[in-house]
Amino acid sequence: NSLIMPIQINGNGTITGISVGGLPNGIVDTDTLANNAATGAKLASGAIIQTVVGASETNTGSSVHVTSTNPSAPTFFNSACKVTITPQFSNSKILIMWTAGIRLDPDAEGYVGAYYSPNSDMSSPVIIDPKRGANRDESFRNNDGSSDAHIFWVQTQTTWDSTVSNTNTRYYNVGGYLSNNDTIEYGDGQVGLTIMAQEIKA
C-alpha cells in the first residue's frame, strides 16, 4: 500500500510530500528523473542540441597566402582548426561562427569563409555562405591599387548550414580563393583562427 501525503512547502523553502517513482516521501529515484528529462526530441525548434569548439590557432610560423583561384578547392587557413560535428538529428541546422585576422593587398579580390565537407580531409568542400549575384568573387576586396594600401582587420562571421539530411559526421573549416592575382592573407601577427559549430534543432 502506498502512502499518499499532501504536498507541503515549508517555511525554509523545502517541499515535502512528493513521491517520485512510487518511492516513499523524500527518496528520489534518479533513473526515473533521468528517463523523464527533456531529450533532444522534446526540445523546441531553435534549441541548441550541441556545441563543438575547434582547436585554437597555435602556429607560430609565417602567414598563409590564399593562392587558390578555384572556389571548389580553397586554400584552408589551418587544417588543425577544423571542427568535427555529428548531428543528432537529420534535419538540424549547423551554425558556424569563426574569427581570424585577414589582410588584403592592393587590388585583392576574392572570398574567405566557412566550408563544409563530408570528408575528414576536407576534400570536396562546399561553401555554406549564400551568394548574391553570379558569384562571391568580391566578398573581400581592396579597391586601392597603390603599393602601400594594405588592409588589416579581424573578421568575425556567423553563417549556417541548411543542407543537413542525415546524421553522418560533418567537417567545417575556413578557407578562401582569389578572383584575381593579388593576395589575400591569413597572417602572422594577426588574430588566430577559431571556429565553433552548434547543432540547432529544426
Side-chain angles (χ1 to χ4, degrees), residues 38-49:
T39 63
K42 297 177 182 177
L43 292 176
S45 176
I48 298 173
I49 302 298

Side-chain angles (χ1 to χ4, degrees), residues 46-67:
I48 298 173
I49 302 298
Q50 60 174 314
T51 300
V52 179
V53 178
S56 294
E57 178 65 87
T58 58
N59 196 321
T60 58
S62 59
S63 302
V64 176
H65 290 245
V66 174
T67 57

Side-chain angles (χ1 to χ4, degrees), residues 77 97-103 112-113 129 139-140 152-158 174 190-194:
F77 287 176
M97 292 162 278
W98 64 271
T99 298
I102 308 291
R103 188 187 96 183
V112 171
D129 281 327
S139 298
F140 287 72
F152 296 78
W153 82 94
V154 177
Q155 177 74 13
T156 298
Q157 189 166 327
T158 301
V174 173
Q190 296 181 8
V191 170
L193 176 63
T194 56

Side-chain angles (χ1 to χ4, degrees), residues 169-186:
T169 300
R170 304 173 74 83
Y171 305 91
Y172 296 91
N173 208 341
V174 173
Y177 69 89
L178 298 173
S179 56
N180 65 8
N181 293 322
D182 290 295
T183 301
I184 296 175
E185 177 183 295
Y186 163 60

